[in-house]
Amino acid sequence: MSSRWTTGSTPRNGPDSSSGPPDMARRITVQEAAERTRNGGSALLVDVREADEWQAGHVPWAVHLPLSALGGPLPPDVAGRPLVLVCRSGNRSRQAAELLVAQGIEAVDVMDGMIEWARAGLPLVDVG
């Protein structure tokens, strides 16, 4: 992975932590992510995993935009909206959120990612 995706930021104290560098994205729980994004919620859920992971199962209302595609401008259906980013475990979504926050985009990431989403029994679509 390219070094442009690493931030060297200090770990946060939890989902409600407001301390830390200004380019550090806030982290939220899967329950908060579902609440913010389902049924036309205030934010858009963006899955930053690769295509094979997306096809193995994803959130029905999520938009697929792999981390590897975040180097350029955001697609029109994503741009201008608050974003909630998710991946398998929370590592890539954290990198993506920090990258977007550094660009002035409102973004948070989901702690523990799709592993926790599935564990919590939240909705999933199995494409494959």
Short mmCIF file of all heavy atoms in Angstrom, two decimals, residues 25-91:
data_model
loop_
_atom_site.label_atom_id
_atom_site.label_comp_id
_atom_site.label_asym_id
_atom_site.label_seq_id
_atom_site.Cartn_x
_atom_site.Cartn_y
_atom_site.Cartn_z
N ALA A 25 -10.09 11.33 11.72
CA ALA A 25 -11.52 11.08 11.61
C ALA A 25 -12.07 10.49 12.91
O ALA A 25 -11.39 9.74 13.60
CB ALA A 25 -11.80 10.15 10.45
N ARG A 26 -13.30 10.80 13.19
CA ARG A 26 -14.01 10.25 14.33
C ARG A 26 -14.41 8.82 14.01
O ARG A 26 -14.68 8.48 12.87
CB ARG A 26 -15.26 11.10 14.61
CG ARG A 26 -16.02 10.68 15.83
CD ARG A 26 -17.07 11.73 16.17
NE ARG A 26 -17.95 11.20 17.18
CZ ARG A 26 -19.11 10.58 16.94
NH1 ARG A 26 -19.53 10.45 15.71
NH2 ARG A 26 -19.84 10.11 17.92
N ARG A 27 -14.45 7.97 15.01
CA ARG A 27 -14.84 6.57 14.85
C ARG A 27 -16.19 6.36 15.51
O ARG A 27 -16.45 6.91 16.56
CB ARG A 27 -13.80 5.66 15.49
CG ARG A 27 -12.38 5.98 14.97
CD ARG A 27 -11.42 4.90 15.23
NE ARG A 27 -11.61 3.92 14.15
CZ ARG A 27 -11.12 2.69 14.19
NH1 ARG A 27 -10.46 2.28 15.24
NH2 ARG A 27 -11.32 1.87 13.18
N ILE A 28 -17.06 5.55 14.86
CA ILE A 28 -18.38 5.28 15.40
C ILE A 28 -18.64 3.78 15.44
O ILE A 28 -17.96 3.00 14.77
CB ILE A 28 -19.49 6.01 14.60
CG1 ILE A 28 -19.55 5.51 13.15
CG2 ILE A 28 -19.29 7.53 14.65
CD1 ILE A 28 -20.72 6.07 12.36
N THR A 29 -19.64 3.38 16.19
CA THR A 29 -20.01 1.97 16.29
C THR A 29 -20.86 1.55 15.09
O THR A 29 -21.40 2.40 14.38
CB THR A 29 -20.82 1.70 17.57
OG1 THR A 29 -22.07 2.40 17.46
CG2 THR A 29 -20.07 2.15 18.82
N VAL A 30 -21.01 0.24 14.91
CA VAL A 30 -21.86 -0.25 13.82
C VAL A 30 -23.31 0.17 14.03
O VAL A 30 -24.02 0.48 13.06
CB VAL A 30 -21.75 -1.78 13.62
CG1 VAL A 30 -20.36 -2.17 13.15
CG2 VAL A 30 -22.15 -2.56 14.86
N GLN A 31 -23.75 0.21 15.26
CA GLN A 31 -25.13 0.63 15.54
C GLN A 31 -25.34 2.08 15.15
O GLN A 31 -26.36 2.43 14.54
CB GLN A 31 -25.48 0.41 17.02
CG GLN A 31 -25.57 -1.03 17.43
CD GLN A 31 -24.22 -1.69 17.72
OE1 GLN A 31 -23.17 -1.05 17.74
NE2 GLN A 31 -24.26 -3.00 17.94
N GLU A 32 -24.39 2.94 15.48
CA GLU A 32 -24.50 4.35 15.10
C GLU A 32 -24.41 4.50 13.58
O GLU A 32 -25.13 5.31 12.98
CB GLU A 32 -23.41 5.18 15.78
CG GLU A 32 -23.61 6.67 15.58
CD GLU A 32 -22.62 7.54 16.34
OE1 GLU A 32 -21.78 7.01 17.07
OE2 GLU A 32 -22.72 8.76 16.17
N ALA A 33 -23.57 3.70 12.93
CA ALA A 33 -23.45 3.76 11.47
C ALA A 33 -24.78 3.37 10.82
O ALA A 33 -25.23 4.04 9.89
CB ALA A 33 -22.34 2.82 10.99
N ALA A 34 -25.40 2.32 11.30
CA ALA A 34 -26.70 1.90 10.75
C ALA A 34 -27.74 2.99 10.95
O ALA A 34 -28.50 3.31 10.04
CB ALA A 34 -27.15 0.59 11.40
N GLU A 35 -27.76 3.57 12.13
CA GLU A 35 -28.74 4.62 12.44
C GLU A 35 -28.55 5.85 11.53
O GLU A 35 -29.53 6.42 11.05
CB GLU A 35 -28.58 5.03 13.90
CG GLU A 35 -29.56 6.06 14.38
CD GLU A 35 -29.34 6.36 15.85
OE1 GLU A 35 -29.44 5.44 16.68
OE2 GLU A 35 -29.04 7.54 16.16
N ARG A 36 -27.32 6.24 11.29
CA ARG A 36 -27.04 7.43 10.47
C ARG A 36 -27.30 7.23 8.98
O ARG A 36 -27.49 8.20 8.26
CB ARG A 36 -25.57 7.82 10.61
CG ARG A 36 -25.21 8.47 11.89
CD ARG A 36 -23.76 8.87 11.81
NE ARG A 36 -23.32 9.51 13.02
CZ ARG A 36 -22.23 10.26 13.11
NH1 ARG A 36 -21.48 10.44 12.05
NH2 ARG A 36 -21.90 10.80 14.24
N THR A 37 -27.24 5.97 8.51
CA THR A 37 -27.25 5.75 7.07
C THR A 37 -28.48 5.03 6.52
O THR A 37 -28.75 5.13 5.33
CB THR A 37 -25.99 4.95 6.64
OG1 THR A 37 -25.99 3.67 7.27
CG2 THR A 37 -24.73 5.71 6.99
N ARG A 38 -29.20 4.30 7.31
CA ARG A 38 -30.34 3.54 6.74
C ARG A 38 -31.55 4.42 6.54
O ARG A 38 -31.68 5.47 7.15
CB ARG A 38 -30.66 2.32 7.60
CG ARG A 38 -31.36 2.62 8.89
CD ARG A 38 -31.95 1.39 9.54
NE ARG A 38 -30.98 0.36 9.78
CZ ARG A 38 -31.07 -0.59 10.67
NH1 ARG A 38 -32.13 -0.68 11.42
NH2 ARG A 38 -30.13 -1.48 10.82
N ASN A 39 -32.43 3.98 5.63
CA ASN A 39 -33.70 4.66 5.35
C ASN A 39 -33.53 6.15 5.07
O ASN A 39 -34.21 6.99 5.65
CB ASN A 39 -34.68 4.47 6.51
CG ASN A 39 -35.01 3.00 6.73
OD1 ASN A 39 -35.06 2.22 5.78
ND2 ASN A 39 -35.20 2.62 7.97
N GLY A 40 -32.60 6.48 4.19
CA GLY A 40 -32.41 7.89 3.83
C GLY A 40 -31.82 8.71 4.95
O GLY A 40 -32.10 9.91 5.05
N GLY A 41 -31.00 8.09 5.79
CA GLY A 41 -30.39 8.79 6.91
C GLY A 41 -29.56 10.00 6.48
O GLY A 41 -29.43 10.30 5.30
N SER A 42 -28.97 10.65 7.46
CA SER A 42 -28.24 11.89 7.20
C SER A 42 -26.91 11.67 6.49
O SER A 42 -26.35 12.62 5.96
CB SER A 42 -28.00 12.62 8.52
OG SER A 42 -27.18 11.84 9.37
N ALA A 43 -26.40 10.44 6.47
CA ALA A 43 -25.09 10.18 5.87
C ALA A 43 -25.18 9.01 4.89
O ALA A 43 -26.14 8.25 4.89
CB ALA A 43 -24.08 9.87 6.97
N LEU A 44 -24.14 8.89 4.08
CA LEU A 44 -24.05 7.83 3.08
C LEU A 44 -23.02 6.80 3.56
O LEU A 44 -21.89 7.17 3.91
CB LEU A 44 -23.60 8.43 1.75
CG LEU A 44 -23.46 7.47 0.57
CD1 LEU A 44 -24.81 6.88 0.20
CD2 LEU A 44 -22.86 8.21 -0.61
N LEU A 45 -23.39 5.52 3.58
CA LEU A 45 -22.49 4.45 3.96
C LEU A 45 -21.66 4.05 2.75
O LEU A 45 -22.21 3.68 1.71
CB LEU A 45 -23.26 3.25 4.50
CG LEU A 45 -22.42 2.11 5.06
CD1 LEU A 45 -21.63 2.57 6.29
CD2 LEU A 45 -23.29 0.92 5.40
N VAL A 46 -20.34 4.13 2.87
CA VAL A 46 -19.42 3.81 1.78
C VAL A 46 -18.54 2.65 2.21
O VAL A 46 -17.82 2.74 3.20
CB VAL A 46 -18.55 5.03 1.40
CG1 VAL A 46 -17.57 4.66 0.29
CG2 VAL A 46 -19.43 6.21 0.99
N ASP A 47 -18.61 1.56 1.46
CA ASP A 47 -17.81 0.36 1.71
C ASP A 47 -16.53 0.49 0.91
O ASP A 47 -16.56 0.55 -0.32
CB ASP A 47 -18.61 -0.87 1.27
CG ASP A 47 -17.99 -2.18 1.72
OD1 ASP A 47 -16.75 -2.28 1.71
OD2 ASP A 47 -18.77 -3.11 2.04
N VAL A 48 -15.38 0.54 1.59
CA VAL A 48 -14.10 0.77 0.93
C VAL A 48 -13.32 -0.52 0.67
O VAL A 48 -12.15 -0.47 0.30
CB VAL A 48 -13.23 1.79 1.70
CG1 VAL A 48 -13.92 3.13 1.79
CG2 VAL A 48 -12.84 1.28 3.08
N ARG A 49 -13.96 -1.67 0.83
CA ARG A 49 -13.30 -2.95 0.56
C ARG A 49 -13.18 -3.18 -0.95
O ARG A 49 -13.82 -2.50 -1.74
CB ARG A 49 -14.07 -4.10 1.20
CG ARG A 49 -14.14 -3.97 2.73
CD ARG A 49 -15.01 -5.04 3.34
NE ARG A 49 -16.37 -4.94 2.82
CZ ARG A 49 -17.22 -5.96 2.78
NH1 ARG A 49 -16.89 -7.15 3.22
NH2 ARG A 49 -18.44 -5.78 2.29
N GLU A 50 -12.39 -4.16 -1.32
CA GLU A 50 -12.21 -4.50 -2.73
C GLU A 50 -13.42 -5.28 -3.24
O GLU A 50 -14.26 -5.74 -2.46
CB GLU A 50 -10.92 -5.30 -2.92
CG GLU A 50 -9.66 -4.49 -2.61
CD GLU A 50 -9.52 -3.21 -3.42
OE1 GLU A 50 -9.81 -3.22 -4.64
OE2 GLU A 50 -9.12 -2.18 -2.85
N ALA A 51 -13.52 -5.43 -4.56
CA ALA A 51 -14.70 -6.01 -5.21
C ALA A 51 -15.04 -7.41 -4.71
O ALA A 51 -16.20 -7.73 -4.48
CB ALA A 51 -14.52 -6.02 -6.72
N ASP A 52 -14.04 -8.26 -4.52
CA ASP A 52 -14.33 -9.62 -4.07
C ASP A 52 -14.92 -9.63 -2.66
O ASP A 52 -15.81 -10.42 -2.35
CB ASP A 52 -13.09 -10.51 -4.15
CG ASP A 52 -11.92 -10.01 -3.32
OD1 ASP A 52 -11.75 -8.78 -3.19
OD2 ASP A 52 -11.17 -10.86 -2.80
N GLU A 53 -14.46 -8.73 -1.81
CA GLU A 53 -15.01 -8.62 -0.46
C GLU A 53 -16.45 -8.10 -0.50
O GLU A 53 -17.31 -8.56 0.24
CB GLU A 53 -14.15 -7.68 0.39
CG GLU A 53 -12.74 -8.17 0.61
CD GLU A 53 -11.89 -7.12 1.28
OE1 GLU A 53 -11.52 -6.13 0.61
OE2 GLU A 53 -11.62 -7.27 2.48
N TRP A 54 -16.69 -7.10 -1.34
CA TRP A 54 -18.03 -6.53 -1.52
C TRP A 54 -19.00 -7.63 -1.95
O TRP A 54 -20.10 -7.75 -1.42
CB TRP A 54 -17.96 -5.41 -2.56
CG TRP A 54 -19.25 -4.90 -3.09
CD1 TRP A 54 -19.86 -5.30 -4.23
CD2 TRP A 54 -20.12 -3.91 -2.50
NE1 TRP A 54 -21.04 -4.60 -4.41
CE2 TRP A 54 -21.22 -3.74 -3.36
CE3 TRP A 54 -20.06 -3.14 -1.34
CZ2 TRP A 54 -22.25 -2.85 -3.10
CZ3 TRP A 54 -21.08 -2.24 -1.09
CH2 TRP A 54 -22.16 -2.11 -1.95
N GLN A 55 -18.59 -8.44 -2.92
CA GLN A 55 -19.46 -9.50 -3.43
C GLN A 55 -19.71 -10.59 -2.41
O GLN A 55 -20.74 -11.26 -2.47
CB GLN A 55 -18.88 -10.08 -4.72
CG GLN A 55 -18.95 -9.09 -5.86
CD GLN A 55 -18.36 -9.62 -7.14
OE1 GLN A 55 -17.63 -10.60 -7.15
NE2 GLN A 55 -18.67 -8.96 -8.23
N ALA A 56 -18.81 -10.78 -1.48
CA ALA A 56 -18.99 -11.80 -0.45
C ALA A 56 -20.08 -11.40 0.55
O ALA A 56 -20.61 -12.24 1.27
CB ALA A 56 -17.68 -12.05 0.28
N GLY A 57 -20.43 -10.13 0.59
CA GLY A 57 -21.48 -9.64 1.48
C GLY A 57 -21.27 -8.19 1.82
O GLY A 57 -20.15 -7.78 2.11
N HIS A 58 -22.35 -7.41 1.74
CA HIS A 58 -22.26 -5.99 2.04
C HIS A 58 -23.60 -5.49 2.58
O HIS A 58 -24.60 -6.18 2.53
CB HIS A 58 -21.84 -5.19 0.81
CG HIS A 58 -22.77 -5.32 -0.34
ND1 HIS A 58 -22.63 -6.29 -1.31
CD2 HIS A 58 -23.89 -4.63 -0.68
CE1 HIS A 58 -23.60 -6.18 -2.18
NE2 HIS A 58 -24.39 -5.18 -1.83
N VAL A 59 -23.59 -4.28 3.06
CA VAL A 59 -24.80 -3.64 3.58
C VAL A 59 -25.68 -3.25 2.39
O VAL A 59 -25.19 -2.67 1.42
CB VAL A 59 -24.43 -2.38 4.41
CG1 VAL A 59 -25.68 -1.69 4.93
CG2 VAL A 59 -23.51 -2.78 5.57
N PRO A 60 -26.98 -3.57 2.44
CA PRO A 60 -27.86 -3.33 1.29
C PRO A 60 -27.87 -1.90 0.77
O PRO A 60 -27.97 -1.69 -0.44
CB PRO A 60 -29.25 -3.72 1.80
CG PRO A 60 -29.02 -4.59 2.98
CD PRO A 60 -27.70 -4.19 3.55
N TRP A 61 -27.75 -0.93 1.62
CA TRP A 61 -27.84 0.48 1.18
C TRP A 61 -26.46 1.15 1.02
O TRP A 61 -26.38 2.34 0.76
CB TRP A 61 -28.71 1.29 2.15
CG TRP A 61 -28.24 1.26 3.57
CD1 TRP A 61 -27.31 2.10 4.15
CD2 TRP A 61 -28.65 0.37 4.60
NE1 TRP A 61 -27.12 1.78 5.47
CE2 TRP A 61 -27.94 0.72 5.78
CE3 TRP A 61 -29.55 -0.68 4.67
CZ2 TRP A 61 -28.09 0.05 6.98
CZ3 TRP A 61 -29.70 -1.36 5.87
CH2 TRP A 61 -28.99 -0.99 7.00
N ALA A 62 -25.39 0.37 1.12
CA ALA A 62 -24.04 0.94 0.99
C ALA A 62 -23.68 1.19 -0.46
O ALA A 62 -24.22 0.57 -1.38
CB ALA A 62 -23.01 -0.01 1.61
N VAL A 63 -22.75 2.13 -0.65
CA VAL A 63 -22.15 2.42 -1.95
C VAL A 63 -20.76 1.81 -1.93
O VAL A 63 -20.04 1.92 -0.93
CB VAL A 63 -22.07 3.95 -2.17
CG1 VAL A 63 -21.26 4.29 -3.41
CG2 VAL A 63 -23.45 4.55 -2.23
N HIS A 64 -20.36 1.16 -3.01
CA HIS A 64 -19.03 0.55 -3.08
C HIS A 64 -18.04 1.51 -3.71
O HIS A 64 -18.22 1.95 -4.85
CB HIS A 64 -19.10 -0.75 -3.89
CG HIS A 64 -17.81 -1.48 -3.92
ND1 HIS A 64 -17.29 -2.01 -5.08
CD2 HIS A 64 -16.92 -1.78 -2.93
CE1 HIS A 64 -16.14 -2.60 -4.79
NE2 HIS A 64 -15.90 -2.47 -3.51
N LEU A 65 -17.00 1.86 -2.96
CA LEU A 65 -15.94 2.73 -3.45
C LEU A 65 -14.65 2.28 -2.77
O LEU A 65 -14.35 2.71 -1.66
CB LEU A 65 -16.26 4.20 -3.12
CG LEU A 65 -15.30 5.25 -3.66
CD1 LEU A 65 -15.26 5.23 -5.19
CD2 LEU A 65 -15.70 6.62 -3.16
N PRO A 66 -13.89 1.39 -3.42
CA PRO A 66 -12.68 0.85 -2.78
C PRO A 66 -11.68 1.92 -2.37
O PRO A 66 -11.58 2.97 -3.03
CB PRO A 66 -12.08 -0.05 -3.86
CG PRO A 66 -13.18 -0.31 -4.82
CD PRO A 66 -14.09 0.89 -4.76
N LEU A 67 -10.97 1.65 -1.31
CA LEU A 67 -9.93 2.56 -0.83
C LEU A 67 -8.97 2.90 -1.97
O LEU A 67 -8.56 4.05 -2.11
CB LEU A 67 -9.17 1.92 0.34
CG LEU A 67 -7.95 2.67 0.88
CD1 LEU A 67 -8.34 4.03 1.42
CD2 LEU A 67 -7.26 1.85 1.95
N SER A 68 -8.65 1.93 -2.80
CA SER A 68 -7.72 2.15 -3.90
C SER A 68 -8.23 3.18 -4.92
O SER A 68 -7.46 3.71 -5.70
CB SER A 68 -7.42 0.82 -4.61
OG SER A 68 -8.60 0.24 -5.11
N ALA A 69 -9.52 3.49 -4.89
CA ALA A 69 -10.11 4.46 -5.83
C ALA A 69 -10.26 5.85 -5.22
O ALA A 69 -10.77 6.76 -5.88
CB ALA A 69 -11.47 3.96 -6.30
N LEU A 70 -9.83 6.03 -3.99
CA LEU A 70 -10.05 7.32 -3.32
C LEU A 70 -8.99 8.37 -3.59
O LEU A 70 -8.99 9.41 -2.97
CB LEU A 70 -10.18 7.11 -1.81
CG LEU A 70 -11.48 6.49 -1.34
CD1 LEU A 70 -11.47 6.31 0.18
CD2 LEU A 70 -12.68 7.31 -1.76
N GLY A 71 -8.09 8.13 -4.53
CA GLY A 71 -7.05 9.11 -4.82
C GLY A 71 -7.52 10.30 -5.62
O GLY A 71 -6.89 11.34 -5.61
N GLY A 72 -8.65 10.18 -6.31
CA GLY A 72 -9.14 11.27 -7.16
C GLY A 72 -10.42 11.86 -6.62
O GLY A 72 -10.79 11.64 -5.47
N PRO A 73 -11.13 12.61 -7.48
CA PRO A 73 -12.39 13.21 -7.05
C PRO A 73 -13.43 12.14 -6.73
O PRO A 73 -13.44 11.06 -7.33
CB PRO A 73 -12.84 14.03 -8.26
CG PRO A 73 -11.74 13.98 -9.24
CD PRO A 73 -10.77 12.93 -8.83
N LEU A 74 -14.31 12.45 -5.81
CA LEU A 74 -15.38 11.52 -5.45
C LEU A 74 -16.45 11.49 -6.54
O LEU A 74 -16.72 12.51 -7.17
CB LEU A 74 -16.03 11.94 -4.13
CG LEU A 74 -15.15 11.82 -2.88
CD1 LEU A 74 -15.89 12.39 -1.67
CD2 LEU A 74 -14.74 10.39 -2.64
N PRO A 75 -17.07 10.33 -6.74
CA PRO A 75 -18.18 10.25 -7.71
C PRO A 75 -19.31 11.20 -7.31
O PRO A 75 -19.50 11.47 -6.12
CB PRO A 75 -18.63 8.80 -7.63
CG PRO A 75 -17.53 8.06 -6.96
CD PRO A 75 -16.80 9.05 -6.12
N PRO A 76 -20.11 11.67 -8.26
CA PRO A 76 -21.18 12.62 -7.97
C PRO A 76 -22.18 12.13 -6.91
O PRO A 76 -22.67 12.93 -6.12
CB PRO A 76 -21.88 12.82 -9.31
CG PRO A 76 -20.87 12.43 -10.33
CD PRO A 76 -19.99 11.40 -9.69
N ASP A 77 -22.47 10.81 -6.89
CA ASP A 77 -23.44 10.31 -5.91
C ASP A 77 -22.88 10.26 -4.50
O ASP A 77 -23.62 10.05 -3.54
CB ASP A 77 -23.97 8.93 -6.33
CG ASP A 77 -22.89 7.88 -6.44
OD1 ASP A 77 -21.72 8.24 -6.72
OD2 ASP A 77 -23.20 6.69 -6.28
N VAL A 78 -21.57 10.48 -4.35
CA VAL A 78 -20.92 10.46 -3.04
C VAL A 78 -20.53 11.87 -2.60
O VAL A 78 -20.63 12.21 -1.43
CB VAL A 78 -19.68 9.53 -3.07
CG1 VAL A 78 -18.92 9.58 -1.77
CG2 VAL A 78 -20.09 8.10 -3.42
N ALA A 79 -20.09 12.69 -3.52
CA ALA A 79 -19.60 14.03 -3.21
C ALA A 79 -20.68 14.89 -2.56
O ALA A 79 -21.85 14.81 -2.91
CB ALA A 79 -19.10 14.70 -4.49
N GLY A 80 -20.25 15.68 -1.59
CA GLY A 80 -21.16 16.63 -0.96
C GLY A 80 -22.03 16.07 0.15
O GLY A 80 -22.87 16.78 0.69
N ARG A 81 -21.85 14.80 0.50
CA ARG A 81 -22.64 14.19 1.57
C ARG A 81 -21.73 13.78 2.71
O ARG A 81 -20.58 13.42 2.48
CB ARG A 81 -23.36 12.94 1.04
CG ARG A 81 -24.36 13.30 -0.03
CD ARG A 81 -25.34 12.22 -0.31
NE ARG A 81 -26.05 11.74 0.87
CZ ARG A 81 -26.77 10.62 0.85
NH1 ARG A 81 -26.86 9.90 -0.24
NH2 ARG A 81 -27.40 10.24 1.94
N PRO A 82 -22.23 13.79 3.95
CA PRO A 82 -21.44 13.23 5.04
C PRO A 82 -21.26 11.73 4.78
O PRO A 82 -22.20 11.06 4.35
CB PRO A 82 -22.30 13.46 6.28
CG PRO A 82 -23.35 14.44 5.88
CD PRO A 82 -23.50 14.33 4.40
N LEU A 83 -20.06 11.22 5.02
CA LEU A 83 -19.75 9.83 4.70
C LEU A 83 -19.44 9.02 5.95
O LEU A 83 -18.75 9.49 6.85
CB LEU A 83 -18.55 9.76 3.75
CG LEU A 83 -18.69 10.55 2.45
CD1 LEU A 83 -17.40 10.44 1.64
CD2 LEU A 83 -19.88 10.09 1.65
N VAL A 84 -19.95 7.80 5.97
CA VAL A 84 -19.62 6.81 6.99
C VAL A 84 -18.92 5.68 6.24
O VAL A 84 -19.51 5.07 5.35
CB VAL A 84 -20.89 6.29 7.71
CG1 VAL A 84 -20.53 5.15 8.65
CG2 VAL A 84 -21.59 7.42 8.45
N LEU A 85 -17.65 5.45 6.56
CA LEU A 85 -16.83 4.50 5.81
C LEU A 85 -16.67 3.20 6.59
O LEU A 85 -16.44 3.21 7.80
CB LEU A 85 -15.47 5.12 5.53
CG LEU A 85 -15.59 6.43 4.75
CD1 LEU A 85 -14.40 7.32 4.98
CD2 LEU A 85 -15.78 6.14 3.28
N VAL A 86 -16.77 2.08 5.86
CA VAL A 86 -16.66 0.76 6.48
C VAL A 86 -15.77 -0.14 5.63
O VAL A 86 -15.73 0.00 4.40
CB VAL A 86 -18.07 0.13 6.70
CG1 VAL A 86 -18.75 -0.21 5.38
CG2 VAL A 86 -18.02 -1.07 7.63
N CYS A 87 -15.06 -1.05 6.29
CA CYS A 87 -14.27 -2.08 5.61
C CYS A 87 -14.45 -3.37 6.41
O CYS A 87 -15.40 -3.49 7.18
CB CYS A 87 -12.80 -1.67 5.50
SG CYS A 87 -11.94 -1.59 7.09
N ARG A 88 -13.56 -4.31 6.26
CA ARG A 88 -13.71 -5.58 6.96
C ARG A 88 -13.52 -5.43 8.47
O ARG A 88 -14.35 -5.87 9.25
CB ARG A 88 -12.71 -6.61 6.42
CG ARG A 88 -12.88 -8.01 7.02
CD ARG A 88 -11.82 -8.96 6.56
NE ARG A 88 -10.51 -8.63 7.11
CZ ARG A 88 -10.10 -9.00 8.32
NH1 ARG A 88 -10.87 -9.70 9.11
NH2 ARG A 88 -8.91 -8.64 8.74
N SER A 89 -12.42 -4.78 8.89
CA SER A 89 -12.10 -4.73 10.31
C SER A 89 -12.00 -3.32 10.89
O SER A 89 -11.89 -3.16 12.10
CB SER A 89 -10.77 -5.44 10.57
OG SER A 89 -9.72 -4.73 9.96
N GLY A 90 -12.03 -2.31 10.05
CA GLY A 90 -11.93 -0.93 10.52
C GLY A 90 -10.61 -0.26 10.19
O GLY A 90 -10.47 0.95 10.37
N ASN A 91 -9.63 -1.00 9.68
CA ASN A 91 -8.33 -0.40 9.38
C ASN A 91 -8.36 0.44 8.10
O ASN A 91 -7.95 1.59 8.11
CB ASN A 91 -7.25 -1.48 9.28
CG ASN A 91 -6.97 -2.12 10.62
OD1 ASN A 91 -6.99 -1.45 11.64
ND2 ASN A 91 -6.72 -3.41 10.62
#
